[in-house]
Amino acid sequence: MQPTTEPRDAILVEKTPLETYVPPAKPSLIGLSRTELADRLGDIGVAPAQRKMRVQQLWHWLYFRGAQNFDEMTSVSKGIRSELAQHFTVDRPEVVAEQISNDGTRKWLLRLPSGDNVEKAHEVECVYIPETDRGTLCVSSQVGCTLNCSFCHTGTQRLVRNLTAGEIVGQIMVARDRLNDWADREDGTRRVTNIVMMGMGEPLYNFDAVRDALLIVGDNEGIGISRRRITLSTSGVVPNIVRAGEEIGVMLAISLHAVRDELRNELVPLNRKYPIKELLQACRDYPGASNARRITFEYVMLKGVNDSLDDAKLLVKLLKGIHAKINLIPFNPWPGTAYECSDWDQIEKFSEYIFNAGYSSPVRTPRGRDILAACGQLKSETEKLSARERQALRAMAMTD
Ligand code: SAH
Ligand code: SF4
């Protein structure tokens, strides 16, 4: 892993005001599949016989080299480059703020056009977490989230919209741009080695875009991050869990957080629709799960709420027969929350019990807390909902 050269604990890009936002004038090619790229080439007059080869070239420049404009694509003929530039861009989401934590974690605030009003912008966050043996990028799938888990900051923000496949792939591209992490790195190492779909939003409520984006990210002629290094975290959208295994084939993480329906209904309201038993059955049915490809169960440690040894015992009982590991997440506080993080020795006792029962039970080290970049702290600057609006959204999420 490359050491960071920038000063720690710094703001590298000062947030630009929303009023300066200029929506893109042309569509970006980022996020298109090979078939869609071929269609776009057809639209600008590239002959059918040439399209496959041109798509290969474009794919290489876009996703392997990280080209930031068509001029760089020197193996593509000048005529096609200029046609492409007239109709399209290779723009990623616009970075409007970049913060670096004193532990090296970086958070980018990205600005996106609003779906229905081109004059307005939406914002989303994306976080890079460097460790000694890997660099993990935490990617968002929605602006906000409809699900309102009671301990999650993102859940207090209204859902504005789903991200497109291009905006999801674009987050990885922004990280590679900012970290100087494309194919021409001199020492051949990579900074972004792993992806976790654990940013803002519920990825399985934006299934098609998340699937299309992750298939691009995993393609080994481009960005090339293998499926084994991509983890999708869900709060438990049962019907889409098996689909995710079949159609995307990435590693699965389940935000469990409670072992009794009564408590889980409160912490993760989606549980009222898909209770624990159904959720665990979907995990048992997850294609490709094995001892080498275990399902991660995330469990946020909330003081006096879900952290007793009885909870740990029931957890072990529930997971019997599932290839599982348990990731204990110390609760990350955010302004206005009523929850507290469990005491450290309670987290250790809980972890030890699970470990002795035969499960790996690492405690996730909170990263980037000083810049509100840790799990569940992400929230872009969309106004908070009134209680009534929140209730209406919750009802919507329960009935769709
Ligand atoms: N919506 C998806 C993915 C995003 S959240 C999901 O819920 O799985 C990523 C993880 O952070 C989830 O396990 C989530 O429950 C957890 N999380 C949310 N708020 C948190 C907080 N304040 N402290 C610690 N973890 C939190
Ligand atoms: Fe949404 Fe996940 Fe937060 Fe729940 S924990 S509100 S599903 S982002």
Side-chain angles (χ1 to χ4, degrees):
M1 188 68 40
Q2 282 281 111
T4 49
T5 45
E6 288 86 357
R8 302 208 147 196
D9 198 7
I11 294 177
L12 301 183
V13 177
E14 201 67 66
K15 186 173 173 184
T16 52
L18 209 58
E19 301 80 69
T20 62
Y21 178 70
V22 184
K26 290 175 264 183
S28 172
L29 293 182
I30 304 295
L32 299 184
S33 65
R34 283 189 170 83
T35 316
E36 289 166 329
L37 275 179
D39 291 345
R40 299 301 187 281
L41 286 170
D43 294 345
I44 60 162
V46 175
Q50 262 203 30
R51 281 180 212 158
K52 195 168 172 206
M53 183 262 287
R54 296 297 182 199
V55 166
Q56 281 303 97
Q57 291 178 327
L58 270 177
W59 196 268
H60 179 79
W61 283 106
L62 290 174
Y63 298 124
F64 189 74
R65 307 283 282 260
Q68 303 207 11
N69 56 60
F70 293 109
D71 286 343
E72 283 177 50
M73 304 184 179
T74 45
S75 59
V76 181
S77 75
K78 267 201 168 149
I80 293 182
R81 270 191 273 159
S82 103
E83 274 299 313
L84 282 168
Q86 266 181 42
H87 295 92
F88 305 106
T89 70
V90 293
D91 287 352
R92 304 77 157 102
E94 181 190 340
V95 177
V96 285
E98 176 172 354
Q99 278 173 283
I100 179 163
S101 153
N102 54 23
D103 69 12
T105 299
R106 280 163 202 251
K107 182 166 86 168
W108 293 285
L109 179 68
L110 306 174
R111 204 163 275 172
L112 313 163
S114 109
D116 45 3
N117 180 350
V118 284
E119 298 305 320
K120 270 172 60 187
H122 290 150
E123 289 173 347
V124 86
E125 292 181 320
C126 170
V127 178
Y128 172 69
I129 307 140
E131 290 172 88
T132 43
D133 62 337
R134 68 181 67 187
T136 302
L137 191 71
C138 180
V139 170
S140 293
S141 56
Q142 298 180 308
V143 179
C145 185
T146 42
L147 291 178
N148 303 109
C149 298
S150 55
F151 53 89
C152 174
H153 202 197
T154 308
T156 65
Q157 181 186 338
R158 79 193 263 200
L159 169 82
V160 186
R161 69 167 170 86
N162 282 334
L163 299 191
T164 63
E167 290 162 347
I168 297 169
V169 177
Q171 293 172 61
I172 292 122
M173 302 186 69
V174 161
R176 287 229 154 129
D177 294 342
R178 304 292 303 179
L179 296 167
N180 182 22
D181 192 35
W182 287 106
D184 47 7
R185 276 175 71 80
E186 276 162 21
D187 59 2
T189 61
R190 279 293 163 82
R191 286 180 133 187
V192 178
T193 60
N194 292 55
I195 305 291
V196 291
M197 295 302 299
M198 294 187 187
M200 294 165 62
E202 168 48 59
L204 293 188
Y205 270 149
N206 185 13
F207 189 88
D208 290 0
V210 167
R211 175 199 53 211
D212 295 349
L214 293 182
L215 293 178
I216 292 174
V217 173
D219 186 297
N220 58 18
E221 288 172 15
I223 295 172
I225 297 176
S226 97
R227 290 169 190 191
R228 300 282 310 265
R229 289 178 171 270
I230 303 177
T231 302
L232 184 151
S233 173
T234 179
S235 57
V237 185
V238 164
N240 285 345
I241 289 179
V242 171
R243 260 189 93 193
E246 285 167 355
E247 296 179 37
I248 322 177
V250 291
M251 306 297 282
L252 181 67
I254 301 285
S255 293
L256 191 62
H257 308 315
V259 287
R260 282 168 284 111
D261 280 323
E262 202 189 1
L263 178 60
R264 195 164 188 272
N265 286 344
E266 203 182 292
L267 299 179
V268 184
L270 185 66
N271 193 69
R272 290 188 212 130
K273 196 170 179 191
Y274 305 117
I276 294 174
K277 200 164 165 233
E278 284 179 33
L279 176 58
L280 295 182
Q281 190 53 47
C283 294
R284 290 194 167 86
D285 298 340
Y286 192 69
S290 66
N291 218 19
R293 301 193 62 186
R294 282 174 293 171
I295 296 174
T296 302
F297 288 85
E298 297 160 280
Y299 197 96
V300 64
M301 298 301 292
L302 302 169
K303 186 175 184 167
V305 175
N306 64 355
D307 62 351
S308 73
L309 280 188
D310 280 346
D311 289 308
K313 279 181 199 161
L314 192 49
L315 178 59
V316 166
K317 222 166 135 186
L318 281 178
L319 297 185
K320 207 158 183 245
I322 301 179
H323 298 289
K325 60 182 168 193
I326 294 130
N327 202 183
L328 300 178
I329 316 177
F331 171 65
N332 290 308
W334 39 270
T337 180
Y339 294 109
E340 285 176 72
C341 183
S342 306
D343 293 332
W344 193 250
D345 61 312
Q346 189 59 24
I347 298 181
E348 279 189 335
K349 277 189 205 145
F350 198 98
S351 165
E352 210 174 275
Y353 181 87
I354 297 169
F355 182 77
N356 289 335
Y359 292 97
S360 152
S361 56
V363 180
R364 191 181 290 175
T365 320
R367 299 290 303 265
R369 270 185 176 179
D370 54 338
I371 55 167
L372 277 186
C375 297
Q377 292 185 312
L378 304 186
K379 181 176 193 285
S380 54
E381 233 171 56
T382 315
E383 77 283 14
K384 269 196 183 181
L385 286 184
S386 68
R388 199 195 297 144
E389 283 173 297
R390 227 181 355 248
Q391 225 171 27
L393 271 174
R394 226 179 262 148
M396 241 168 60
M398 306 309 290
T399 51
D400 68 1

